[in-house]
Structures are given as C-alpha cells and as structure tokens.
Amino acid sequence: DVKVTQSSRYLVKRTGEKVFLECVQDMDHENMFWYRQDPGLGLRLIYFSYDVKMKEKGDIPEGYSVSREKKERFSLILESASTNQTSMYLCASSRTGYDGELFFGEGSRLTVL
Amino acid sequence: RKEVEQDPGPFNVPEGATVAFNCTYSNSASQSFFWYRQDCRKEPKLLMSVYSSGNEDGRFTAQLNRASQYISLLIRDSKLSDSATYLCVVIHNYGQNFVFGPGTRLSVLP
C-alpha cells in the first residue's frame, strides 16, 4: 500500500519558535510538494521539489523553507512561526508525468499561539 | 482571477439526485485534468481523470472542453457517501505543477 507519512498530526507552537514538519514517501516518487489548506482559500502550494536537493517556490513561500536531502524525505521549516501560519499542512508526492495522481499525507494541523 | 475556478457551492441534494459541478481554468497550456475528492478532515484523493472524449466511472461522468477551458463532473443517483468536497485540478509542466480549484462542497441528504 503506497504511503505518504507526515511526522505529526497535531502541533501547538508559540510565536517565534522554529517548526519542522517532516514528510516521507515510500513510492520512489521524483516530485514532492508542501501545501497549506485554509477554509475559503483552498490548497495553496508553498514549495515543491522535483529531485534531491532541488526546490522551487510555489505560490506562498514567504516565511517557509524546505529541505530535500534524500529522495523519500521532504521537510518544511518555519524559521520563526507566526500566528498567520496556523493552518493544515499537507505533503504530497507524485511521479513525473501526466497521470495526475498526487498522493497526500494525512496532514499536520499546526496551531501557533 | 484565480487560475482554476469552481462553483462556490455548497450543493445540498437529496439521495438519488443528479448533480453537476463545473470548473474553468485560465491557462491554455494546461495539460491534464482531474477531479479529486476530499472528505471532511481527510486528505484529498484522486477521483478520476478527465479526458477530451469524456469518461465515465460508474455513477460519475467527467467531461473536458478544451476550447472553452471547461471541465465538468456529473454524479448520478447520489449516495449519502458522496458527501465531500470535490476539487478540480489541472496539471502543467509534466506533472510538476498541480493547480487546485477551491473546491465545491456536496452534501447528500437522506
């Protein structure tokens, strides 16, 4: 059974803390993505990576960074969390190509106080 | 203007009804098209691809009109279990750029 696993389902952090969200996929996919999902705004792409050590900014990269040191792992980092980063964060992976299947993790709900 | 737009919803329909969702996209270079389903507090999952010739999967029919840049999803004989948010998705750049619509929420009522 294919799987994308996110390290934490629920996190509560304080303003200014550094936050790491980790994601691991077991499908040998080239592409990995971080989205955030907010009511009324839908899914918005933060960053994606199409290869180890490669990264591309998405629509809302400000306040975030990412790391992809191994093909199966893609980390999202909030250097100094702020209350407007309270959200549901979804990691996903896909093969390169047009078959359209994006596999998501279960999500990490982050609350910044 | 958002790149992918959908009916705002929510759609509240009785069991057994037929319901149709519409989606428009603005980027004519979009290469592939899909419908995803997202249950409450769950992650999105692929429902079906959308082909120019139209395609059907049981009670679900998807259509694509490239000239009008329009995608549709028809659900026949709605079930309670169809209640979810339906997301229209377009792909660019050989699968490296998935653009999601905001989603349309469907509630099927007994």
Side-chain angles (χ1 to χ4, degrees), chain B residues 23-40:
Chain B
C23 170
T24 57
Y25 61 95
S26 60
N27 188 338
S28 59
S30 299
Q31 292 146 335
S32 303
F33 309 89
F34 304 89
W35 285 100
Y36 275 66
R37 170 192 169 129
Q38 186 173 21
D39 293 311
C40 188

Side-chain angles (χ1 to χ4, degrees), chain A residues 34-96:
Chain A
W34 276 106
Y35 291 89
R36 65 177 281 178
Q37 187 171 32
D38 302 286
L41 297 176
L43 277 155
R44 294 181 290 167
L45 181 64
I46 304 171
Y47 269 96
F48 72 97
S49 168
Y50 54 87
D51 202 352
V52 176
K53 297 192 186 294
M54 305 301 288
K55 61 184 179 186
E56 294 284 342
K57 292 180 180 179
D59 301 317
I60 51 163
E62 297 79 17
Y64 303 95
S65 62
V66 290
S67 172
R68 193 164 180 204
E69 296 296 318
K70 294 185 177 182
K71 190 176 185 180
E72 68 271 18
R73 190 178 296 268
F74 192 36
S75 301
L76 181 69
I77 302 144
L78 288 67
E79 293 289 341
S80 177
S82 62
T83 54
N84 64 11
Q85 292 178 310
T86 292
S87 187
M88 171 66 82
Y89 290 88
L90 287 157
C91 175
S93 72
S94 74
R95 289 189 302 116
T96 294

Side-chain angles (χ1 to χ4, degrees), chain B residues 7-12 21 84-86 103-107:
Chain B
D7 287 340
F11 284 53
N12 298 315
F21 302 137
T85 296
Y86 291 83
T104 301
R105 201 168 65 152
L106 171 67
S107 292

Side-chain angles (χ1 to χ4, degrees), chain A residues 4-9 21-24 34 88-92 104-109, chain B residues 43:
Chain A
V4 178
T5 304
Q6 294 185 227
S7 54
S8 306
R9 292 294 306 277
L21 298 177
E22 299 218 303
C23 175
V24 178
W34 276 106
M88 171 66 82
Y89 290 88
L90 287 157
C91 175
F104 283 89
E106 291 184 311
S108 299
R109 182 164 294 283
Chain B
E43 71 275 20

Side-chain angles (χ1 to χ4, degrees), chain B residues 38-90:
Chain B
Q38 186 173 21
D39 293 311
C40 188
R41 300 185 186 281
K42 297 280 193 178
E43 71 275 20
K45 292 186 178 177
L46 179 64
L47 177 66
M48 61 194 301
S49 304
V50 187
Y51 304 120
S52 296
S53 54
N55 50 299
E56 195 172 298
D57 183 2
R59 298 181 293 108
F60 297 82
T61 301
Q63 297 273 356
L64 166 65
N65 184 322
R66 283 189 185 266
S68 302
Q69 295 182 194
Y70 169 92
I71 303 158
S72 66
L73 176 68
L74 184 77
I75 306 175
R76 290 181 299 279
D77 189 24
S78 300
K79 311 290 184 193
L80 296 175
S81 57
D82 294 333
S83 296
T85 296
Y86 291 83
L87 303 164
C88 176
V89 183
V90 304

